[in-house]
């Protein structure tokens, strides 16, 4: 693949905040961006050079989109396989369609981890009430049932603690193909955002600590306070995953760290990740510039951190009593506000985030949480 230099056009499938921040990075370096989306005036479309609104099933529109760009990447993994494949017939798609295919389905993903000797919690495929009961014998209680596809922020997940909950759980999973996982009593949740170039160069942003609320990421902290050997193991596993999938682009691996210092791989996302947003301010190269570099065939950028950082998400819940107090926020000089241009602040919807920099990670966390509190959040 020829190296794509400034002036080239990046095609983005999907139009949320991840595409928006990629488009920002692209614009700074004078690349053009075309976004393919099912809606209009989207977070990505607002900053891209061109927003093409059509159905993912409209393969003629998909083909025309692919013909107008120099490379295609995606910003969420629910892009239908046929859409990505149609693009791949016209132009390079990074990360490749196979990586997307694995990440789209929780069962395929777990099987991929097992095939690559990566440690995971016990799991079972579930497609009926009977198989759910059988699966629970393998995982034990408590367990979590998750729909295999259309995964997003814990939707379609249900924790099963008691036998009486089995039927309700099967209802909650919508009678659809699902995965049952042994519940992990983890000490911490961690992620590694890593990148691999078209030429096989590897880079990573170290280990980030994550806290979730209602299954949605709430706070991310870098660097994570883990021992050097744990960090090394996590990065090593991330590298194996990127290499096994032959990824060119950015990929995030989420882990559980147990009380007895064992890492279990939870899931992957073949794109920049919410936990990596803090790299925009805290690292020499952000995860979005890294995605751009990786898919354009450029050498990867320096991932060194300039200082510790913490990020909190701003969910739609914060708008419950009206517009948050942005003026009060402006009194936090080391806190950076990102808003995604979404017009409807629904509960649980990611509307923006805040990043704080500080001389220690705990100071960054305190700073960013106080800032969110000023806005009316907890
Ligand atoms: P996921 O969509 O798999 O990332 O799940 C969202 C969040 O739910 C995770 O970040 C965890 O906080 C929690 N979770 C998911 N699976 C498990 C599990 N097997 N054991 C314990 N917690 C889980």
């Amino acid at each position: 693949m020829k190296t794509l230099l400034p002036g080239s056009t990046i095609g983005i499938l999907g139009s949320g905040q991840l595409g928006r921040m990629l488009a920002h990075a692209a614009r700074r370096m004078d690349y053009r961006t075309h976004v393919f989306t099912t809606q209009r005036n989207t977070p990505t479309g607002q900053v891209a050079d061109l927003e093409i609104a059509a159905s993912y099933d409209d393969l003629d529109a998909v083909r025309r989109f692919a013909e107008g760009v120099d490379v295609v990447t995606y910003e969420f993994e629910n892009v239908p396989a046929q859409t990505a494949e149609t693009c791949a017939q016209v132009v390079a798609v990074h990360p490749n369609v196979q990586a997307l295919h694995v990440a789209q389905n929780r069962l395929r993903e777990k099987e991929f981890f097992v095939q690559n000797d990566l440690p995971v919690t016990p799991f079972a495929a579930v497609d009926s009430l009977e198989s759910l009961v059988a699966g629970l014998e393998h995982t034990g209680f408590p367990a979590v049932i998750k729909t295999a596809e259309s995964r997003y922020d814990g939707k379609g997940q249900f924790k099963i603690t008691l036998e009486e909950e089995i039927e309700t759980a099967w209802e909650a999973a919508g009678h659809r193909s699902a995965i049952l996982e042994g519940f992990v009593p983890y000490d911490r949740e961690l992620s590694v955002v890593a990148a691999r170039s078209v030429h096989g160069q590897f880079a990573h942003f170290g280990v980030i600590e994550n806290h979730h609320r209602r299954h949605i990421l709430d706070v991310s902290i870098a660097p994570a306070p883990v021992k050097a050997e744990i960090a090394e193991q996590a990065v090593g596993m991330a590298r194996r995953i990127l290499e096994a999938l032959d990824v060119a682009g950015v990929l995030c691996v989420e882990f559980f760290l147990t009380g007895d210092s064992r890492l279990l791989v939870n899931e992957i996302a073949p794109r920049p990740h919410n936990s990596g947003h803090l790299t925009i301010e805290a690292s020499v190269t952000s995860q979005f510039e890294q995605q751009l570099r990786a898919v354009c065939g450029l050498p990867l950028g320096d991932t060194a951190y300039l200082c510790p950082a913490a990020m909190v998400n701003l969910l739609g819940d914060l708008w419950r009593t009206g517009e948050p107090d942005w003026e009060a926020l402006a009194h936090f000089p080391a806190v950076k506000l990102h808003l995604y241009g979404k017009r409807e602040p629904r509960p649980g919807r990611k509307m923006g985030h805040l990043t704080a920099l500080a001389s220690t990670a705990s100071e960054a966390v305190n700073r960013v949480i106080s800032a969110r509190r000023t806005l009316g959040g907890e």
Side-chain angles (χ1 to χ4, degrees):
M1 178 188 146
K2 106 176 186 306
T3 306
L4 301 178
L5 297 173
S8 307
T9 303
I10 316 300
I12 308 172
L13 292 169
S15 57
Q17 60 270 18
L18 300 176
R20 180 183 179 95
M21 290 182 270
L22 170 62
H24 281 147
R27 172 142 299 174
R28 180 167 53 78
M29 291 162 71
D30 211 15
Y31 284 83
R32 294 174 58 79
T33 48
H34 290 185
V35 57
F36 189 95
T37 166
T38 55
Q39 286 149 0
R40 286 187 193 282
N41 191 25
T42 58
T44 309
Q46 290 164 10
V47 296
D49 294 281
L50 181 66
E51 182 178 59
I52 299 170
S55 157
Y56 283 122
D57 303 328
D58 181 350
L59 298 183
D60 288 334
V62 171
R63 204 165 291 115
R64 280 197 299 278
F65 156 75
E67 282 164 0
V69 301
D70 296 300
V71 65
V72 165
T73 189
Y74 41 91
E75 64 95 71
F76 85 137
E77 53 271 19
N78 295 327
V79 175
Q82 239 198 336
T83 308
E85 276 156 17
T86 301
C87 290
Q89 286 162 10
V90 178
V91 71
V93 174
H94 294 308
N96 61 59
V97 177
Q98 176 60 15
L100 181 65
H101 183 69
V102 169
Q104 271 177 345
N105 181 292
R106 291 183 188 275
L107 281 163
R108 273 202 294 273
E109 181 185 62
K110 280 279 197 298
E111 276 149 19
F112 164 80
F113 297 152
V114 172
Q115 280 157 15
N116 286 276
D117 291 325
L118 294 156
V120 293
T121 188
F123 68 95
V126 168
D127 59 6
S128 63
L129 191 56
E130 295 71 40
S131 58
L132 174 56
V133 173
L136 280 159
E137 278 172 31
H138 175 59
T139 61
F141 289 86
V144 187
I145 186 168
K146 306 176 180 177
T147 49
E149 297 201 345
S150 304
R151 45 199 297 180
Y152 191 69
D153 280 344
K155 285 186 188 141
Q157 290 193 24
F158 193 89
K159 187 174 171 186
I160 311 173
T161 311
L162 307 165
E163 250 174 59
E164 295 83 271
E165 291 166 343
I166 297 177
E167 275 186 44
T168 320
W170 180 233
E171 292 297 321
H175 296 245
R176 280 187 292 168
S177 165
I179 185 170
L180 182 72
E181 295 179 8
F183 183 83
V184 182
Y186 55 83
D187 234 25
R188 289 179 197 279
E189 289 194 77
L190 305 172
S191 59
V192 172
V193 177
R196 192 163 167 269
S197 76
V198 170
H199 309 292
Q201 186 193 356
F202 176 80
H204 64 86
F205 292 94
V207 180
I208 300 170
E209 178 177 358
N210 301 312
H211 296 264
H212 291 78
R213 217 194 274 183
R214 291 182 285 136
H215 299 284
I216 304 173
L217 184 67
D218 186 39
V219 184
S220 289
I221 308 154
V226 292
K227 291 197 196 107
E229 68 236 45
I230 296 289
E232 210 176 293
Q233 275 174 34
V235 169
M237 288 187 209
R239 184 172 193 149
R240 267 162 57 200
I241 291 170
L242 275 98
E243 287 176 356
L245 290 171
D246 195 20
V247 162
V250 167
L251 182 143
C252 175
V253 187
E254 291 185 59
F255 299 91
F256 296 121
L257 179 64
T258 64
D260 56 353
S261 295
R262 279 182 312 124
L263 280 170
L264 299 175
V265 179
N266 175 28
E267 62 176 3
I268 56 172
R271 51 164 173 80
H273 190 258
N274 196 167
S275 63
H277 290 356
L278 48 73
T279 61
I280 293 177
E281 288 90 4
S283 173
V284 176
T285 307
S286 76
Q287 62 170 351
F288 300 101
E289 179 181 336
Q290 200 72 302
Q291 180 185 21
L292 181 75
R293 283 172 168 265
V295 305
C296 287
L298 295 173
L300 298 179
D302 184 353
T303 53
Y305 281 94
L306 304 170
C307 65
M311 181 232 53
V312 289
N313 273 331
L314 304 178
L315 301 184
D317 312 57
L318 201 58
W319 274 251
R320 205 173 272 141
T321 52
E323 198 66 18
D325 189 352
W326 305 124
E327 204 171 332
L329 182 73
H331 292 282
F332 288 79
V335 173
K336 299 291 171 191
L337 170 66
H338 296 250
L339 288 172
Y340 307 147
K342 298 182 185 177
R343 302 285 164 251
E344 267 182 75
R346 293 192 294 273
R349 189 173 196 209
K350 291 175 181 169
M351 301 294 290
H353 71 267
L354 302 177
T355 300
L357 304 177
S359 51
T360 65
S362 59
E363 203 182 318
V365 174
N366 291 340
R367 198 169 268 176
V368 81
I369 287 183
S370 324
R372 185 168 62 180
R373 217 169 271 141
T374 330
L375 290 174
E378 288 158 38

